[in-house]
Amino acid sequence: MPQRALALAVLCAVSLMVVLDGSIVAVALPAIQNDLGFTPSTLAWVVNAYLIAFAGLLLLSGRLGDLIGRKRVFSAGLGVFTLASLLCGIAQDQTQLVVFRFLQGAGGALASAVVLGMITTLYPEPRARAKAIGVYSFTQAAGASIGLIAGGTLTQLLDWHWTFFVNLPIGAVALVMAARLLADDRGPGLRGGTDVTGAGLVTGGLMLLIYTIVKAEEYTWADTRTLGLLAVSLLSLAGFVLRQAKAREPLLPLRIFRVRAVSGANSVMVLMVAGLFGFQFITALYLQRVLLLDALSTGFAFLPAPVSIAVMSLVFAERLNHRFGARTVLVTGLSVVALALGLLAMVEADGDYATDVLPALVLMGVGFGVAMPALMGQAMSGVAPTDAGVASGLINTTQQIGAAIGTAVLATAAASRTGSLLTEGAAAPEALTSGYRTAYALSAGLLALAVFVAAAVLRNRKAQEAIVA
């Protein structure tokens, strides 16, 4: 295998490992709760601590890659992530696990923020780049579903500690391979004038925004605490934007938003991930609480989705982008995903996996498998090489914001609908299913809005040229 292909394999393997971590741990949460004595409210911080650090540091990590070298940032993040995985696996109490999960999120942000930028530099030829982005997109698109399978298997056959220990051999091998295969790149360095103020504003603002979103389910959106935290986070982010307009060496050069594809792709990413990340959470609950599948069976129930994604993203995505243009492929793919969510919005309490869930998972994999590479390609199109790291960090940041919004909004909507029906005396399976149908309908609406934005904002000819011409 050529060295460049091996380098791509290392980058995608690490990206997959980081994406997997979010869902592989989710399946193990009940076992973690029983072992370490978490309450239902404190258990959420096993997930939230990782999410806050990961989402809050992505943008800063991407810019650091542009300034001091993407290989350095990637290797440092991979080392931190691997060490933190070990510490999570041997954690003896709740505080240790939450702290180490935050550290793991920080390492994941450093490593994953620069991957897409490194791929675009590694593959300057448009057709080769499109294929490479297809491989990378598969890790992003299918990683969460694979994580559910791996999490169910490891938790049921071994124990929850192995959901963290599994990262150790992968991380160690990837560190050695990265040192040998990835080219050294030297940015201008920090001495050129690092925007420390901007870094503080955006990192603090993003962390507080994600914290506010994940706490909104507990406080409710109308609570004064939620509104106050939301106001502070938005003011911090607004201050960051003003700072970037005046800074001599901005952390996020606002010029990249003048590229229509970049602005449009990031807008679509938030909407798409908000609908799809919440879908995984809701579907796992439906399979376990209504169809009564165990953790292992639930994990394998998701298998058709990553298989479909793999076939479409690795085999057909590049050809379709080349033939029809990225916007056409993206709009079509997102429409198929919206259709799949619409089908799930009709599930019944006495439903059957083979007829009610499986067809939707296959459709979702087909649509997402072609939409994600087109979207990732547009997010990096027209970006100068000196800004590739921050553009990569930006699209990953919007992805995490979408995930946080989707999980909070859809979970709240489902719980609210279920609670109302239970109060009215409905049977638990019917009440739960009705709540899940509500969440699926909202997910379909978010995907429909993503289709509209993609069709209205993105331009097919430019997108196609950016990927294949």
Side-chain angles (χ1 to χ4, degrees):
M1 182 182 290
Q3 181 170 327
R4 189 168 68 163
L6 285 173
L8 175 64
V10 171
L11 293 173
C12 289
V14 172
S15 177
L16 179 62
M17 179 175 66
V18 173
V19 172
L20 280 173
D21 196 76
S23 55
I24 196 173
V25 174
V27 181
L29 287 178
I32 293 174
Q33 181 178 13
N34 292 334
D35 195 10
L36 297 184
F38 281 96
T39 65
S41 60
T42 58
L43 183 65
W45 285 103
V46 177
V47 175
N48 294 342
Y50 179 90
L51 179 61
I52 290 170
F54 187 74
L57 291 171
L58 278 167
L59 194 57
L60 175 60
S61 300
R63 195 55 178 170
L64 284 175
D66 291 333
L67 293 174
I68 66 175
R70 295 177 197 122
K71 179 179 178 179
R72 291 182 179 181
V73 172
F74 175 81
S75 299
L78 178 55
V80 171
F81 182 89
T82 305
L83 174 61
S85 297
L86 171 62
L87 295 174
C88 287
I90 62 175
Q92 298 298 308
D93 58 45
Q94 299 175 23
T95 301
Q96 288 181 8
L97 183 57
V98 171
V99 170
F100 295 149
R101 282 287 283 168
F102 186 91
L103 181 64
Q104 195 182 29
L110 286 166
S112 61
V114 295
V115 168
L116 189 55
M118 295 175 78
I119 291 174
T120 58
T121 303
L122 192 64
Y123 287 87
E125 311 90 352
R127 291 294 297 273
R129 176 183 295 181
K131 292 180 180 178
I133 288 178
V135 176
Y136 170 77
S137 298
F138 165 72
T139 68
Q140 296 291 296
S145 296
I146 296 173
L148 292 171
I149 298 170
T153 302
L154 291 171
T155 302
Q156 194 150 321
L157 299 183
L158 297 171
D159 59 50
W160 67 265
H161 301 276
W162 284 93
T163 61
F164 298 108
F165 290 151
V166 71
N167 294 328
L168 302 184
I170 301 173
V173 172
L175 274 170
V176 174
M177 298 289 284
R180 295 181 178 180
L181 296 172
L182 299 182
D184 289 318
D185 56 326
R186 302 286 180 179
L190 300 178
R191 63 182 180 278
T194 307
D195 183 15
V196 177
T197 301
L201 285 170
V202 71
T203 303
L206 285 172
M207 285 187 174
L208 185 58
L209 177 62
I210 300 300
Y211 174 83
T212 303
I213 292 171
V214 299
K215 290 293 286 184
E217 184 179 355
E218 176 183 341
Y219 293 155
T220 76
W221 285 99
D223 189 273
T224 54
R225 288 169 292 187
T226 301
L227 295 175
L229 291 172
L230 183 62
V232 173
S233 65
L234 293 179
L235 282 173
S236 179
L237 294 174
F240 168 71
V241 173
L242 293 175
R243 171 69 182 175
Q244 299 315 284
K246 298 179 180 180
R248 184 170 62 89
E249 294 290 339
L251 183 68
L252 175 61
L254 299 182
R255 61 179 176 270
I256 70 171
F257 291 105
R258 300 191 193 108
V259 181
R260 191 182 182 109
V262 173
S263 300
N266 279 275
S267 301
V268 172
M269 179 64 82
V270 171
L271 295 168
M272 180 183 75
V273 175
L276 287 178
F277 198 87
F279 138 79
Q280 290 188 322
F281 173 75
I282 294 298
T283 303
L285 291 176
Y286 174 70
L287 292 174
Q288 293 188 63
R289 299 176 68 179
V290 177
L291 300 189
L292 303 179
L293 300 185
D294 59 26
L296 184 60
S297 299
T298 297
F300 277 97
F302 279 92
L303 186 59
V307 170
S308 300
I309 291 170
V311 172
M312 299 307 297
S313 62
L314 301 179
V315 179
F316 295 105
E318 183 271 331
R319 301 178 192 175
L320 293 172
N321 279 325
H322 179 61
R323 175 66 179 85
F324 298 105
R327 188 186 69 168
T328 299
V329 173
L330 177 60
V331 169
T332 304
L334 292 176
S335 299
V336 172
V337 174
L339 173 62
L341 290 166
L343 293 177
L344 286 172
M346 296 185 290
V347 295
E348 299 292 342
D350 58 351
D352 178 73
Y353 169 77
T355 57
D356 295 318
V357 180
L358 178 59
L361 290 178
V362 173
L363 276 177
M364 195 163 300
V366 170
F368 198 38
V370 296
M372 192 67 165
L375 186 58
M376 286 294 189
Q378 293 204 40
M380 298 301 293
S381 64
V383 177
T386 54
D387 294 329
V390 74
S392 174
L394 178 63
I395 192 66
N396 280 286
T397 299
T398 55
Q399 187 174 357
Q400 294 305 312
I401 291 173
I405 292 173
T407 302
V409 171
L410 297 179
T412 301
S416 176
R417 175 63 178 163
T418 297
S420 297
L421 291 176
L422 289 174
T423 301
E424 295 171 5
E430 285 290 346
L432 288 169
T433 304
S434 182
Y436 300 150
R437 283 199 299 263
T438 300
Y440 286 135
L442 286 173
S443 293
L446 289 169
L447 266 295
L449 185 55
V451 170
F452 173 79
V453 172
V457 176
L458 299 176
R459 293 175 177 172
N460 207 43
R461 180 177 298 177
K462 289 186 177 181
Q464 184 175 5
E465 290 172 355
I467 297 180
V468 300

